[in-house]
Amino acid sequence: FSAETGPIPVDYRQAPFELSLQLKVTGGTVTVQHTYDNPFGTVANWINHSSLASKTSGTYDGSYSAPVRAIRITGTTPAGTITLVQGTR
């Protein structure tokens, strides 16, 4: 069984772009993905985060320094939480 969250939009127009995240996995295998496309369009190309893919039980952190339009969590019977912090000016 695979599942995914809906898209979580972020402010991709922020300059400079800064987004930090913490992933707490409590079950299954979890991957954080991002897209440069409109996440609510008919087709969005989702790309795995370079260091937050196929994670199992534990707490992990990551970041984005280049703009993305949205993130989501996907995985096999995924369970856990994600916390996002985006800088503002």
Side-chain angles (χ1 to χ4, degrees), residues 14-58:
Q14 176 188 353
F17 185 87
E18 299 170 340
L19 177 66
S20 299
L21 52 103
Q22 179 183 45
L23 177 67
K24 292 182 182 179
V25 181
T26 57
T29 302
V30 176
T31 296
V32 174
Q33 296 181 321
H34 61 274
T35 186
Y36 300 108
D37 301 323
N38 177 351
F40 302 106
T42 55
V43 177
N45 182 35
W46 291 96
I47 303 162
N48 291 348
H49 186 281
S50 60
S51 65
L52 296 175
S54 300
K55 296 298 184 184
T56 56
S57 187

Side-chain angles (χ1 to χ4, degrees), residues 11 13-18 86-89:
D11 182 4
R13 294 181 179 151
Q14 176 188 353
F17 185 87
E18 299 170 340
Q86 187 167 19
T88 59
R89 292 195 154 235

